[in-house]
Each structure stands twice: as C-alpha cells, then as structure tokens.
Amino acid sequence: MNQLEAIKARHSVRSYKEQMPDSKCVDKLCAMIDELNHSSGLHMQLLLDEPRAFSSIKAHYGKFAGVKNYIALIGPKTDNLEEICGYNGEKLVLAAQQMGLNTCWVAGTYKKIPDAYHMEKGERIVAVIVIGYGTTDGKAHKSKSPEQVTEVEGTAPEWFYRGVDAALLAPTAINQQRFRFSWKNGEASVRSLLGPCSKLDLGIVKLHFEIGSGKVFSQMNTIVVEPEWDLHDRYFSEIKMYQKVEAVAKQCGLVMTEKALPYMKEAHKGQTRKGKEHIPYIYHPLMMCCHALALGIREDEILAAILLHDVCEDCGILPEELPVSKEVQKAVSLLTFTLKEGQELHDAQVAYCQKISENRIALLIKILDRCNNISTMAIGFSKEQMGRYIKNTEEFIFPLLERLKRDYPQHYDHAFLLKYQIVSLLETFKRLI
C-alpha cells in the first residue's frame, strides 16, 4: 500500500480493541517519530497503554471507546506550530494505515495528562492522534466537490486536480474542509479559512495535495510550475570538433596529436556515451581537447594524451601500444583506473589520485575529464548518482586542483578557470537535487 492508497483507505476510528499494536509497528513508528522530530523541530511522542486521556467526560462526548494509545503532537510555541503538527502528524497517520493500524485525529475531546509525556519550556501540546486496532475500519464522510474548494483562472494542469482530490480525503475538524486551492498565472497555492483547528487542518491538507499531485509546496504555500525543458545530449558537432583539432594539429606541427586523432576514432568505434541520443564516444575526448584548445593549450603531449585517455581503459589496448611518446603513454597509463580483486573502491580511488597527482600531464587531464563529465552528467545520471558524483569530486578532484595550482605555475590560469566551472556547476546541481 502506497501513500495515496493509504489516503483512500484511511477513515477516522473512535472505538478500539484491547489488542496492543504489534511491536514491529511500534518500532517503525518510534523511528519515524524520531526522524520527523529531527527534521521539523517538533517533540512528538508515542504513548502506549495510557487510557487516562480518554476516560473523561470529554472523551465520552467524543464517543471514544477502548483508547489506550495515542501520539501527542508537541512542539515549540511558534506561529506555524499547528500547521507543522498537521503536516507531520498526517505522515504518521498514513504510515500507521500502511501498517494495518487505525487512527483518529483529536484536538479537543480528550484530557491532557501532563505526567504522561514530556514537554520542554516553551512547548505546548496541539492535538493527539489516537492509534490502535479499531473495532471497525471506519467509514467515509460526505465531502465537498472540487469546485467548492478551488479557484481557477484559465486551465489548471491535471496534477492540480489530482492534488485537490487527495486533499478532499484529508481529515478536518468536524469535517468542515475550510481550505481553498487556487490556480493563477501558472502557480498553485493553498490557504486556510477561518474555523476551529483550521491551521492544523491546513498542514494535513497540504500533505494530501502533495501526495496526490506529486508536487511540493514552498514555505509560502505555493507551487510554481517548472518549465518542460527540452534536454539535449549533444552540445557541439563531433565532426566539427574533429576538424578543429585536426586543423590546429597541422597548423602547429603537433605530430602526436595528428596520430592520436584517427587512432582514437578507430579504437572507440561503435562505442557511445550515456544518454538517449547514443552519441559516439569520441564526442567526449574531442570536447575535452577543444576545451584545452580554448584554454590556450597547444602542448602536443597534453592534447595527444587527452585524445587517448580512455583508450586503454575502455578498448583493451596497452599503453605501450599507443602511437605516441613514452611520456604520453605514461600519462594515459596513470589515467587508466583499475580495481584489483579484493580491493575496496575507495582505497583504489585514493591510490589512483595519488599517482595522478605526481604527473603534470595526467593531473591536468584528470581535472579536464571531470569538468567535462560534470558538465554532461544531467544527460545520463540519476539524482542519486549526481549526489555521489558531487561528493566524489569534492573529495578527490578538489585536492588535485590545488596540487595543479601549487606545483605547476604554468597551469595556474587553467586551474582557476576549471575550478570556476566545476564549482559553479556543483553548487547549481546541489540546489536542484
């Protein structure tokens, strides 16, 4: 059962069996409460076998029976405390439903038992959520129509109405459903209307809308529609880049670069880069080489090594077989990553970068390589992969950049420009993922 299914299955239950919640369910709920408290700043607590709160006249008025377990929604006295409690408390409600437990939100018809829970100075209890195995699974209540709770200018997207449908299934005080969703100028927003517990209800309703729509509200209770970007794998033509490198090599008398160019093309024949367009693999070394040319690099050894830097690792060719000098063969060998049997990946990466840092050509090329990979990682990386790649870059590539600046003054400007591009891209990706 996913969250949307839990929303549809869940109804308020006021009468409960003697049976205590399963220990596994209790452990999961406690872990989730700890996690939500940490992220929200709340002080929610699960109270088990505590019947006093629902043995008063108030509870009788609320028609509760057999209630011994509940979650106390406690937090610091702030302007938005009720809304935060509603949002995070409903996460617990839906989790409980997925575990086969029943629940009921209670804001007034219970007795506060101060010695049953712990409150810090400046905190207050907002409401409780009754939890346990109900004598029934409850029943659906009459609901307003989407038209009664929305204000739409123009045409709202389908996700907006899916969110509204889920919000209409949210529990609200005395089933009042006093909230409004608006769509205007490509932006969705929500607000509460006056009424008892309307702020608490707003938090619950927001969560339901987010689950139904697949969107997330900002702190201003708005959702701005993200543009549908047309993403491209290919920024430049590999044919034109090949011609550019070839022309510079002939003009500047770069003999090894001239040899490496067709050798690289043949070695990578049939290989493609990640992405939907299946771009020929040579696009990557060619773009790196053109990047180096744009940085003003005309050193034959560097350009040839750039073109060949993946040949040994991806094509099964030995460094000594490459049609270049031993200096270039050495650099390509250092750039070829291998993981020995039984070796930990992290240990292998540490050793790999250490060796690279001791060779000027390999050091510069590794940084260029990472810069190019970061520039194109939106093509074939998931968000999780991007996150790991960012951390890997910060751990291994940033020290290489500092080493390049420190040990090789002739590459100081290159290091500056590469660092500028890498850092700006990483900081942008961090905010997006």
Side-chain angles (χ1 to χ4, degrees):
M1 178 185 293
N2 59 33
Q3 283 186 308
L4 188 57
E5 291 169 337
I7 284 175
K8 295 176 180 179
R10 185 261 170 201
H11 305 295
S12 296
V13 173
R14 294 172 179 262
S15 179
Y16 289 82
K17 301 175 183 178
E18 286 289 324
Q19 181 184 359
M20 292 292 289
D22 179 85
S23 60
K24 290 183 179 179
C25 293
V26 171
D27 289 343
K28 288 181 180 179
L29 284 170
C30 286
M32 189 172 182
I33 288 171
D34 288 343
E35 183 180 338
L36 292 175
N37 282 342
H38 179 73
S39 62
S40 67
L42 295 177
H43 193 189
M44 299 184 290
Q45 298 158 49
L46 175 62
L47 305 174
L48 299 174
D49 199 18
E50 202 299 287
R52 293 175 293 169
F54 289 87
S55 58
S56 64
I57 294 175
K58 281 186 176 181
H60 178 73
Y61 173 77
K63 298 181 181 180
F64 288 100
V67 176
K68 296 190 294 183
N69 314 300
Y70 58 93
I71 299 169
L73 304 180
I74 299 169
K77 297 175 183 178
T78 58
D79 292 340
N80 60 346
L81 175 60
E82 291 95 336
E83 183 180 328
I84 295 173
C85 284
Y87 187 86
N88 289 279
E90 186 65 5
K91 286 185 178 182
L92 295 170
V93 165
L94 298 179
Q97 185 69 38
Q98 290 172 310
M99 297 177 200
L101 296 168
N102 301 106
T103 54
C104 185
W105 279 88
V106 189
T109 52
Y110 72 100
K111 181 180 179 181
K112 296 178 181 179
I113 312 295
D115 65 354
Y117 40 79
H118 176 71
M119 282 201 298
E120 299 286 349
K121 185 178 180 180
E123 292 184 336
R124 72 180 180 90
I125 184 167
V126 173
V128 300
I129 299 169
V130 173
I131 192 165
Y133 296 105
T135 56
T136 70
D137 286 327
K139 61 181 181 180
H141 293 279
K142 187 178 179 180
S143 173
K144 292 180 179 179
S145 68
E147 291 75 20
Q148 290 175 294
V149 298
T150 57
E151 298 166 347
V152 177
E153 291 188 11
T155 303
E158 285 298 318
W159 62 259
F160 176 82
Y161 291 106
R162 291 197 301 269
V164 171
D165 288 341
L168 286 170
L169 296 174
T172 58
I174 56 177
N175 200 34
Q176 60 186 343
Q177 296 183 308
R178 294 187 61 77
F179 53 82
R180 288 291 182 276
F181 287 96
S182 300
W183 176 262
K184 183 179 180 180
N185 297 328
E187 182 176 288
S189 61
V190 60
R191 70 182 190 276
S192 65
L193 308 179
L194 295 177
C197 302
S198 58
K199 291 183 179 180
L200 185 70
D201 292 347
L202 179 62
I204 301 172
V205 164
K206 281 173 63 177
L207 179 67
H208 277 233
F209 183 92
E210 289 181 355
I211 293 170
S213 67
K215 307 292 182 179
V216 178
F217 281 105
S218 69
Q219 291 183 346
M220 301 300 292
N221 287 342
T222 59
I223 298 174
V224 179
V225 179
E226 297 177 359
E228 295 291 333
W229 299 113
D230 186 14
L231 298 178
H232 300 283
D233 294 356
R234 182 183 270 105
Y235 307 155
F236 306 103
S237 163
E238 59 269 22
I239 296 174
K240 290 183 179 180
M241 287 192 291
Y242 189 98
Q243 292 170 345
K244 168 69 175 178
V245 175
E246 187 177 43
V248 171
K250 288 180 179 178
Q251 181 183 355
C252 297
L254 307 178
V255 178
M256 286 189 291
T257 303
E258 272 197 87
K259 290 181 180 179
L261 198 55
Y263 189 92
M264 171 271 301
K265 183 178 180 181
E266 182 61 30
H268 287 298
K269 188 176 182 179
Q271 296 178 349
T272 58
R273 292 284 279 172
K274 292 179 181 178
K276 61 184 179 182
E277 295 181 29
H278 304 294
I279 294 173
Y281 193 85
I282 61 169
Y283 183 88
H284 170 58
L286 285 171
M287 188 146 72
M288 282 178 59
C289 201
C290 287
H291 192 173
L293 292 175
L295 291 172
I297 296 172
R298 295 295 187 274
E299 190 175 332
D300 198 14
E301 288 79 7
I302 292 175
L303 298 175
I306 287 173
L307 293 171
L308 300 171
H309 79 279
D310 276 337
V311 166
C312 295
E313 186 172 322
D314 295 341
C315 308
I317 295 171
L318 297 175
E320 55 267 27
E321 296 174 337
L322 301 175
V324 288
S325 69
K326 291 189 181 298
E327 184 182 13
V328 175
Q329 291 175 353
K330 175 66 174 178
V332 174
S333 176
L334 291 171
L335 289 164
T336 303
F337 180 77
T338 56
L339 183 63
K340 299 176 182 177
E341 186 176 352
Q343 188 178 26
E344 293 289 336
L345 177 60
H346 186 270
D347 293 340
Q349 289 175 328
V350 169
Y352 173 69
C353 289
Q354 177 59 40
K355 291 180 179 179
I356 283 176
S357 70
E358 297 168 359
N359 182 283
R360 179 181 65 89
I361 295 175
L363 180 58
L364 176 60
I365 292 174
K366 184 60 189 177
I367 297 168
L368 270 166
D369 182 43
R370 182 56 60 98
C371 186
N372 181 258
N373 285 336
I374 291 171
S375 300
T376 59
M377 69 178 177
I379 296 170
F381 281 22
S382 66
K383 288 185 177 181
E384 291 74 17
Q385 288 172 321
M386 287 183 191
R388 290 195 296 271
Y389 207 61
I390 289 170
K391 289 180 179 179
N392 181 276
T393 300
E394 292 176 336
E395 180 178 358
F396 294 109
I397 304 303
F398 282 8
L400 295 182
L401 273 162
E402 296 307 312
R403 183 72 178 265
L404 184 66
K405 287 196 300 181
R406 186 192 72 201
D407 293 354
Y408 304 102
Q410 67 270 42
H411 294 303
Y412 186 91
D413 288 345
H414 303 145
F416 176 85
L417 291 170
L418 288 167
K419 183 176 181 178
Y420 174 77
Q421 184 175 353
I422 291 172
V423 171
S424 60
L425 284 169
L426 292 191
E427 292 304 310
T428 301
F429 277 118
K430 285 179 186 178
R431 283 158 177 77
L432 293 176
I433 65 175

